[in-house]
Each structure stands twice: as structure tokens, then as C-alpha cells.
């Protein structure tokens, strides 16, 4: 599929005209062969009248087509409800990237977020019932956050039918949070990216943040398994993976070794590399033992509890 990015800004006075202009652009690109359209405006659903109008016109003009609409920059779950979700689904939206930040209400308040976590839970259940694939994004390493809060957020998302999107906090010039720190140096600006994992605090190390990032990837690997109906245990999946492709089998082998040996191996080419030193297997197991169960994207449960008694060798 070709890919086209659309920035959508509504005007108060010329709202319908603005929406129709966007639809004309989409129709032009459709005729040129584009089939996937991404709305990059993270305020896409902010005004209910606007997103309702947009969806109704998309349904009217493109019903029955092979179009797919996305909002990969993320949207606020606080602006969603059952009616909007239903219209988005009918219009051709297939995935939801939800900006959660944290499952801890105090952490949200500290960064100026007024959304309620309980509303996030409700939206996830409604969207899952309508068949949306979802990613919920956390920001880990926020100033003033704690290791316990971050673990709790990961545990909450592990049990919901969403993938866990982990962003690592970094200073952004000109923001309110950046004003709490000394003036940014050239090095600070260079490190203003999630992958740098540059901000450490008492009780929260760079190694912790890296481990959280990898842990979310491991959980997502299990969540993306297309499991048929029935109940599953982690032992069942490790002994007999449902998918037989190379990636799935390698992932299962890496997880089997991690749980059995307490080492995270890396795959390079066709061989397994010695353990990844920056990964804290003890912190991973602290999270793993508390999960209880995982919920996959297709709503199936994977029981983790039977592994609670297993200890990492050499811990």
C-alpha cells in the first residue's frame, strides 16, 4: 500500500468546508493509488462534532473501498466515546494509538494531564469489542515518578488487550518540565531523544529504563500471538508455540532461556549472542511474577502464575 500523511485542522466558521477540502485531497490520492491515510493531528478527536462529521463523510464517499485510516501520532482517550468509536470503525479506522502516559493518577496530574485512568479502561474495552487493534503509550522516567508506579503501569497494560508502547522521557526545550531543570546544554539537546535514556534519578537508573523497554517488547511478543479459542498457560506456549515461523520460534527460545537461565540472549544472524548486559533479569522477574495473566490482542488469556515458583539461577 502507498502511504499518505494528512494534517487536519478544523476552523470554527468554515468547518464543513475544511473537512470537504481534506476529503478532496484523500479522493485525489486514492485515485493515484494511495490506500492508507494517517491523520497526524493528535487533536483529531478533540471536538466531537468535527470527528463525527469527518467520519460520516468518509463513510458516505468511500463505503466499500479498500481504504484504511490511521492516527499514528496518538489520540486522547478522553475525547472518545462509543458513538465516535463506532463511526471511526465504519469509516475505516483500524487501529488506535492511545496516549496514556501513566496508569497512576498522581503522575498524570504532575505533568498536567487531567484524563482519568478509569475512562481509559472503559475506552479500551469498548474499542476491543469493536475490533480495534490498540497501542497504549507510556512515558517512563518522568521526573518525580517511581519505579513502583512504572511497574504498576506495565502490569495494568499487560492484562488489557493492548500493546504496550514505551517512550522514555527526555527534556524538550521550551516545555514546562524543562523549566524545572538547569538551562539545557548542547549535550542535553543531543540527548533529547527517547533512545538516549539519558535521565536518571534516585532509585531509577538507565538500566531500569532499558529493562522496562525490553520487558514491554517481550510482553508484546506474547500479546501478538494469534491464539485460537481456549485457555493457555505460558508453559503450553513455550513447549508448543502456535506459530512455527522463524521469528516466533526464536522469540520462544529467547524467553525460555530467560526464564530458565536468568539471561537475555540476542540473536545475530543465525546464532545466539551471549546475554545482553544492560538488561536487569532480576527486575524483569519482579514484574513477570506479578503479572498473573496476559491478555492478547485478540482477547485470549495467557496464564503466567504457574511460573511464580521458578527462580533465576544465580540471582
Amino acid at each position: 500500500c502507498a502511504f499518505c500523511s494528512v494534517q487536519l485542522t478544523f476552523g470554527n466558521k468554515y468547518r464543513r468546508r475544511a473537512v470537504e477540502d481534506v476529503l478532496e485531497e484523500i479522493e485525489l490520492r486514492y485515485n493515484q493509488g494511495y490506500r492508507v491515510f494517517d491523520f497526524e493531528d493528535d487533536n483529531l478527536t478533540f471536538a466531537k462534532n468535527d470527528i463525527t462529521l469527518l467520519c460520516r463523510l468518509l463513510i458516505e464517499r468511500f463505503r466499500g473501498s479498500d481504504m484504511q485510516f490511521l492516527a499514528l501520532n496518538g489520540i486522547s482517550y478522553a475525547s472518545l466515546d462509543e458513538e465516535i468509536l463506532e463511526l471511526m470503525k465504519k469509516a475505516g479506522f483500524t487501529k488506535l494509538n492511545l496516549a496514556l502516559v501513566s496508569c497512576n493518577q498522581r503522575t498524570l496530574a504532575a505533568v498536567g494531564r487531567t484524563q482519568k485512568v478509569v475512562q481509559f479502561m472503559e475506552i479500551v474495552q469498548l474499542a476491543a469489542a469493536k475490533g480495534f487493534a490498540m497501542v497504549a503509550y507510556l512515558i517512563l522516567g518522568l521526573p518525580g515518578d517511581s519505579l513502583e508506579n512504572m511497574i504498576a503501569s506495565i502490569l495494568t497494560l499487560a492484562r488489557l488487550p493492548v500493546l504496550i508502547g514505551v517512550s522514555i522521557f527526555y527534556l524538550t526545550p521550551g516545555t514546562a518540565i524543562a523549566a524545572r531543570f538547569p538551562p539545557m546544554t548542547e549535550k542535553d539537546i543531543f540527548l533529547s531523544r527517547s533512545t538516549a535514556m539519558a535521565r536518571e534519578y534516585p532509585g531509577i537508573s538507565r538500566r531500569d529504563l532499558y529493562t522496562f523497554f525490553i520487558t514491554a517488547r517481550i510482553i508484546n511478543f506474547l500479546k501478538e500471538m494469534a491464539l485460537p479459542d481456549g485457555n493457555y498457560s505460558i508453559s503450553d506456549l513455550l513447549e508448543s508455540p502456535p506459530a512455527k515461523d522463524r521469528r516466533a520460534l526464536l522469540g520462544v527460545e529467547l524467553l525460555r532461556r530467560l526464564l530458565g537461565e536468568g539471561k537475555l540472549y540476542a540473536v545475530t544472524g543465525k546464532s545466539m549472542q551471549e546475554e545482553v548486559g544492560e538488561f536487569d533479569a532480576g527486575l524483569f522477574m519482579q514484574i513477570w511474577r506479578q503479572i498473573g495473566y496476559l491478555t492478547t490482542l485478540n482477547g485470549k488469556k495467557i496464564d503466567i502464575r504457574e511460573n511464580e515458583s521458578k527462580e533465576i539461577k544465580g540471582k
Side-chain angles (χ1 to χ4, degrees), residues 60-301:
E60 178 184 311
R61 295 198 186 185
F62 300 105
R63 185 189 299 273
S65 69
D66 53 348
M67 303 279 274
Q68 181 183 174
F69 299 105
L70 308 169
L72 296 179
N73 198 35
I75 54 180
S76 172
Y77 59 87
S79 61
L80 297 175
D81 58 28
E82 187 168 13
E83 179 186 358
I84 292 175
L85 289 172
E86 182 68 25
L87 284 171
M88 290 179 72
K89 189 66 178 177
K90 288 180 178 179
F93 285 86
T94 58
K95 300 177 182 179
L96 294 177
N97 286 14
L98 303 175
L100 176 59
V101 177
S102 173
C103 288
N104 183 278
Q105 204 65 56
R106 289 186 179 180
T107 300
L108 289 176
V111 294
R113 302 266 181 159
T114 59
Q115 299 95 325
K116 302 298 182 184
V117 176
V118 64
Q119 184 180 0
F120 166 78
M121 304 291 193
E122 294 169 356
I123 291 301
V124 164
Q125 297 303 330
L126 286 171
K130 296 183 185 301
F132 281 101
M134 288 172 282
V135 182
Y137 282 93
L138 301 173
I139 300 179
L140 303 183
L142 285 164
D145 207 355
S146 68
L147 208 65
E148 291 72 24
N149 283 345
M150 288 183 270
I151 290 173
S153 290
I154 291 174
L155 292 174
T156 298
L157 296 186
R159 299 167 188 146
L160 294 174
V162 300
L163 294 180
I164 306 173
V166 171
S167 296
I168 307 298
F169 171 76
Y170 58 89
L171 283 180
T172 303
T175 61
I177 292 181
R180 305 180 199 171
F181 292 81
M184 294 182 69
T185 64
E186 183 177 342
K187 181 179 179 180
D188 291 330
I189 293 173
F190 174 75
L191 295 174
S192 291
R193 49 194 169 85
S194 186
T195 52
M197 303 183 187
R199 291 285 162 180
E200 296 183 288
Y201 310 97
I204 301 174
S205 68
R206 189 172 187 268
R207 191 181 188 204
D208 294 331
L209 297 174
Y210 177 77
T211 301
F212 284 142
F213 181 82
I214 298 299
T215 298
R217 298 293 294 270
I218 293 170
I219 292 172
N220 286 347
F221 168 72
L222 294 169
K223 281 173 166 285
E224 290 185 292
M225 286 188 172
L227 303 177
D229 293 335
N231 297 318
Y232 297 86
S233 70
I234 190 63
S235 291
D236 293 336
L237 297 180
L238 294 181
E239 291 171 7
S240 181
K244 303 300 182 182
D245 61 277
R246 181 174 181 271
R247 178 182 178 274
L249 293 175
L250 281 174
V252 167
E253 179 60 22
L254 290 171
L255 181 55
R256 187 186 294 118
R257 291 192 180 201
L258 174 56
L259 295 175
E261 301 176 29
K263 295 180 180 181
L264 177 66
Y265 291 86
V267 177
T268 56
K270 296 183 178 180
S271 63
M272 286 202 180
Q273 185 177 309
E274 184 54 47
E275 65 177 311
V276 180
E278 285 300 311
F279 182 79
D280 186 341
L283 177 57
F284 168 78
M285 286 305 296
Q286 180 182 343
I287 299 169
W288 184 261
R289 292 193 185 98
Q290 295 181 68
I291 293 175
Y293 67 91
L294 295 173
T295 301
T296 67
L297 284 185
N298 64 351
K300 303 301 185 295
K301 298 291 191 296

Side-chain angles (χ1 to χ4, degrees), residues 4 6 8 16-32 34 37 39 54 57-58 61-62 67 69:
C4 180
V6 178
L8 184 60
R16 186 179 182 92
R17 182 65 254 173
V19 176
E20 289 180 344
D21 286 345
V22 171
L23 290 176
E24 287 177 11
E25 175 75 9
I26 292 175
E27 195 160 30
L28 171 65
R29 301 305 177 189
Y30 178 82
N31 292 331
Q32 294 173 342
Y34 292 84
F37 292 82
F39 292 88
L54 172 66
L57 291 177
L58 287 174
R61 295 198 186 185
F62 300 105
M67 303 279 274
F69 299 105

